[in-house]
């Protein structure tokens, strides 16, 4: 008997021999999510570039395409395509059909008549849960605090048309509702919000001082740094601000700042992509190449509001009895102001690779491995056995959300049990289960859950996404502080700040992990931050069998 070999699923060959219809349809979803030209039946989701974020999107698309109750655990429990397809077929046989909307979301949930936030601000402005929490956070102190801006700097090494930049930014503000948000002081305190029909961004041009190119580059760096550190005001400042620093006729630095109330880190990539496409098209005399948005921000906020109701019971159950803060916490002093400082350190490519491999071997992701090591470090530092981690996630559970600009970020609360002196493998399993449950219910009303755990242990893990540039122009990233420096905020009601230092981990192109312990220097010393970084590295060393991991 002659066997016909199976072929891979690709755009050019949608019906490979020997594949089931479910495998073909699932492969199309994989190609879309992972941007893979071909997919084999025995391919593994994470080997093709999948991560926990894409696993959440995969679950939403599987629910929509096949009408089965898939969760983020699908990609972890069955990472191979054929195994996922077999599970989908089995689940479909035991569950009833589900009617879905255009995003793979049950139709009953994908259309609602109004967005969240009504009654909290004037003008029926669509608001995400993070924006609602921001409103509470801003107004909790006097004077009000400000969440600042998401900012990037790009060096452009060719002639740059500032008038065209201004025109492109105005078009993008017209396209994306959040960029036309207008804030004013409400009569009874707080903020009143409305949407302007047009709200052109602010574009300023300055010339770097200096007699030589090197001197002007140094001056440009200082100007960019000062722009990054501007303390904003949602009421009086422009939401979108561009500063063009001229170094030479064909050399400039563009500093883009967008207020965090209407913008998140993911949105920055969307903004740069669309800005580059618009600039190139209009410069050549062509019309805008941007396609209409499948879902606008108002639609997204309306959809997420329905999810708050569905996920409320889960979060009430998970957070019942959770500690409001890690206390006592050795090294923390009394203090009623917050001023951020950073202790940087790194995991070299070899140690970072060992950590990734260890996570993969035990069915976890690099984020889960870092969260496990941080949880163990905090537990052994403080003696706590019940820890609530908080980690931001994009809040974009369907691919169509990827093209939206706005403050979609969700604050994921991951409650972990560190009791019983667990080793790394045991603890990774606990973190994995809690993180996946949280991701499956990530669209929750954070403005409601935040007061339950006002001082979670924060961890921020960033996958490598490339350095910023201006698409279509000769450009490159220009050095800029990651965070606003010298911020100094009061605490609500003058109460002591009970926050713990935050761990930030960033994947780099050369495979190393850059990390930092970010802390309130009013309540912690630099020595305490250094010791916490060492405690984290000790856990990494123990997990990977690497003696003497160094900062």
């Amino acid at each position: 008997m002659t066997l016909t070999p199976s072929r891979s699923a690709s755009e050019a060959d949608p019906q490979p021999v020997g594949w089931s219809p479910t495998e073909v349809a699932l492969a199309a979803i994989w190609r879309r999510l992972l941007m893979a030209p071909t997919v084999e039946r025995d391919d593994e989701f994470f080997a093709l570039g999948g991560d926990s974020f894409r696993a959440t999107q995969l679950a939403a698309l599987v629910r929509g395409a096949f009408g089965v109750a898939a969760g983020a655990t699908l990609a972890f429990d069955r990472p191979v395509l054929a195994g996922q397809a077999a599970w989908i077929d089995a689940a479909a046989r035991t569950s009833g059909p589900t009617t879905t909307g255009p995003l793979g979301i049950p139709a009953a949930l994908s259309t609602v008549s109004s967005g969240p936030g009504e009654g909290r601000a004037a003008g029926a402005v669509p608001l995400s849960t993070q924006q609602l929490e921001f409103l509470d956070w801003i107004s909790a102190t006097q004077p009000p605090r400000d969440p600042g801006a998401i900012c990037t700097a790009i060096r452009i090494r060719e002639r740059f048309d500032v008038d065209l930049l201004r025109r492109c930014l105005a078009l993008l503000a017209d396209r994306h509702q959040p960029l036309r948000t207008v804030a004013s002081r409400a009569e009874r305190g707080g903020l009143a919000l409305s949407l302007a029909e047009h709200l052109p961004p602010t574009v300023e041009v300055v010339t770097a001082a200096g007699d030589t190119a090197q001197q002007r580059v140094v001056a440009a760096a200082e100007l960019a740094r000062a722009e990054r550190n501007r303390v904003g005001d949602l009421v009086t400042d422009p939401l979108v601000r561009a500063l063009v620093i001229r170094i030479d006729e064909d050399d400039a630095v563009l500093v883009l700042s967008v207020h965090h109330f209407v913008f998140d880190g993911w949105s920055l990539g969307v903004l740069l992509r669309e800005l580059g496409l618009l600039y190139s098209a209009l410069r050549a005399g062509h019309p805008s190449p941007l396609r209409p948005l499948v879902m606008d921000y108002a639609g997204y906020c309306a959809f997420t509001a329905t999810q708050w109701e569905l996920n409320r019971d889960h979060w009430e159950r998970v957070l019942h009895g959770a500690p409001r803060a890690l206390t006592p916490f050795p090294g923390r002093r009394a203090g009623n102001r917050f001023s951020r400082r950073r202790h940087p350190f790194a995991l070299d490519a070899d140690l970072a690779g060992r950590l990734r491999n260890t996570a993969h071997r035990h069915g976890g992701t690099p984020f889960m491995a870092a969260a496990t090591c941080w949880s163990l470090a905090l537990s052994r530092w403080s003696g706590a056995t019940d820890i609530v981690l908080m980690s931001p996630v994009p809040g974009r559970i369907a691919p169509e959300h990827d093209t939206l600009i706005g403050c979609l970020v969700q604050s994921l609360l991951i409650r972990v049990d560190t009791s019983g002196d667990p080793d790394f493998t045991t603890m990774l399993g606990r973190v994995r289960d809690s993180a996946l449950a949280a991701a499956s219910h990530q669209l929750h009303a954070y403005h409601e859950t935040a007061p339950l755990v006002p001082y979670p242990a924060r961890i921020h893990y960033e996958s490598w996404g490339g350095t910023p540039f201006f698409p279509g122009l000769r450009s490159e990233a220009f050095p800029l502080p990651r965070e606003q420096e010298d911020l100094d905020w009061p605490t609500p009601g003058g109460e002591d700040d009970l926050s713990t230092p935050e761990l930030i981990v960033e994947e780099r192109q050369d495979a190393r992990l850059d990390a930092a312990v970010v802390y309130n220097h009013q309540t912690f010393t630099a020595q305490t931050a250094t010791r916490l970084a060492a405690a984290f590295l000790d856990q990494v060393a123990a997990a990977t069998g690497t003696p003497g991991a160094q900062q």
Side-chain angles (χ1 to χ4, degrees):
M1 181 175 64
T2 302
L3 295 178
T4 302
S6 173
R7 292 175 292 170
S8 63
S10 67
E11 294 291 347
D13 183 15
Q15 189 62 52
V17 175
W19 288 51
S20 72
T22 300
E23 290 171 339
V24 173
L26 183 60
I29 292 174
W30 276 38
R31 290 197 307 270
R32 180 184 180 189
L33 273 181
L34 306 176
M35 294 183 288
T38 60
V39 174
E40 302 285 350
R41 295 179 70 250
D42 58 354
D43 276 343
E44 197 218 43
F45 187 77
F46 298 100
L48 293 183
D51 52 23
S52 55
F53 167 57
R54 295 300 178 194
T56 302
Q57 291 194 336
L58 173 68
L61 290 174
V62 166
R63 289 195 298 270
F66 303 102
V68 296
T73 56
L74 175 62
F76 289 87
D77 294 342
R78 296 167 179 82
V80 176
L81 185 134
Q84 288 184 13
W87 178 88
I88 291 168
D89 286 338
R93 288 193 294 269
T94 58
S95 63
T98 301
T99 303
T100 58
L103 298 181
I105 298 161
L109 306 180
S110 62
T111 56
V112 294
S113 59
S114 60
E118 293 177 304
R120 308 257 317 220
V125 176
L127 296 174
S128 68
T129 183
Q130 183 60 66
Q131 289 180 292
L132 291 171
E133 201 275 332
F134 270 152
L135 290 177
D136 292 336
W137 182 86
I138 289 170
S139 61
T141 63
Q142 288 299 327
R145 296 173 288 186
D146 189 272
I150 306 294
C151 194
T152 192
I154 299 169
R155 189 170 181 180
I156 300 171
R157 295 179 180 269
E158 61 179 271
R159 288 185 179 274
F160 189 52
D161 188 333
V162 175
D163 289 335
L164 185 54
L165 169 69
R166 186 177 288 109
R167 182 182 170 194
C168 292
L169 288 174
L171 289 172
L172 290 179
D174 289 342
R175 174 178 169 84
H176 295 282
Q177 293 164 303
L179 303 184
R180 292 181 275 112
T181 303
V182 177
S184 60
R185 302 292 179 197
E187 292 182 2
R188 299 182 181 180
L191 296 175
L193 304 178
S194 60
L195 283 178
E197 185 176 356
H198 301 288
L199 191 63
T202 296
V203 179
E204 181 182 355
V205 183
V206 298
T207 300
D211 296 328
T212 67
Q214 183 176 4
Q215 290 173 341
R216 291 192 292 274
V217 170
V218 172
E222 288 302 313
L223 289 168
R225 186 185 188 94
E227 178 69 8
R228 176 70 183 100
N229 290 326
R230 289 174 70 250
V231 177
D233 187 308
L234 184 58
V235 172
T236 61
D237 287 355
L239 289 179
V240 183
R241 176 179 168 85
L243 175 66
V244 179
I245 307 169
R246 296 288 192 191
I247 297 174
D248 211 328
E249 289 185 1
D250 56 356
D251 193 355
V253 173
L254 169 64
V255 184
L256 274 175
S257 304
V258 186
H259 201 285
H260 193 13
F261 183 76
V262 299
F263 202 72
D264 56 23
W266 184 283
S267 297
L268 181 59
V270 180
L271 179 67
L272 290 176
R273 173 185 171 275
E274 293 192 349
L275 182 59
L277 289 172
L278 270 177
Y279 186 94
S280 295
L282 299 184
R283 182 174 60 171
H286 300 309
S288 168
L290 301 180
R291 297 178 179 177
L293 296 171
V294 175
M295 171 184 274
D296 64 12
Y297 193 67
Y300 174 86
C301 290
F303 161 64
T304 56
T306 65
Q307 302 302 292
W308 301 346
E309 300 300 323
L310 294 174
N311 291 328
R312 184 169 281 112
D313 286 348
H314 169 84
W315 289 106
E316 288 179 352
R317 182 173 63 256
V318 168
L319 298 179
H320 178 72
R324 291 171 53 83
L326 281 183
T327 184
F329 195 87
R332 182 168 53 210
R333 306 173 304 214
N336 60 7
R337 299 194 69 84
F338 186 93
S339 184
R340 183 189 290 118
R341 294 292 186 273
R342 157 184 286 252
H343 169 72
F345 63 103
L347 285 70
D348 63 27
D350 178 67
L351 182 59
R354 288 172 179 263
L355 186 63
R356 294 187 190 96
N357 291 337
T358 300
H360 184 266
R361 193 163 59 248
H362 295 291
T365 64
F367 162 74
M368 293 173 186
T372 296
C373 292
W374 188 234
S375 297
L376 289 171
L378 293 176
S379 178
R380 289 164 188 178
W381 180 279
S382 66
T385 58
D386 187 359
I387 297 175
V388 179
L389 301 176
M390 195 281 276
S391 183
V393 291
R396 300 165 190 263
I397 67 168
E400 287 78 4
H401 300 161
D402 291 354
T403 57
L404 294 178
I405 283 177
C407 191
L408 282 63
V409 63
Q410 288 283 148
S411 296
L412 208 62
L413 296 171
I414 304 170
R415 189 174 182 180
V416 295
D417 172 14
T418 63
S419 63
D421 194 26
D423 59 14
F424 174 83
T425 303
T426 301
M427 194 65 223
L428 178 65
R430 296 179 187 178
V431 169
R432 174 185 179 275
D433 291 346
S434 184
L436 290 177
S440 295
H441 299 86
Q442 66 179 269
L443 298 182
H444 71 286
Y446 182 64
H447 56 287
E448 296 176 3
T449 56
L452 302 178
V453 188
Y455 298 104
R458 297 172 180 266
I459 177 171
H460 190 162
Y461 190 99
E462 294 186 359
S463 300
W464 169 252
T467 56
F469 67 102
F470 196 111
L473 299 181
R474 292 180 55 234
S475 59
E476 62 199 39
F478 191 75
L480 198 68
R482 175 191 169 92
E483 300 140 347
Q484 285 178 289
E485 301 167 323
D486 301 324
L487 288 177
D488 193 328
W489 296 323
T491 58
E495 297 179 356
D496 284 343
D497 175 37
L498 297 180
S499 65
T500 56
E502 176 182 9
L503 177 68
I504 295 177
V505 181
E506 301 174 76
E507 292 186 354
R508 308 306 300 175
Q509 188 177 20
D510 60 4
R512 76 179 189 277
L513 293 174
D514 281 352
V517 171
V518 178
Y519 61 99
N520 179 5
H521 91 103
Q522 304 284 359
T523 56
F524 290 99
T525 65
Q527 291 77 14
T528 297
T530 302
R531 290 175 58 204
L532 280 168
F536 171 74
L537 286 172
D538 285 344
Q539 295 299 328
V540 172
T544 58
T546 307
Q550 299 294 318
Q551 293 192 64

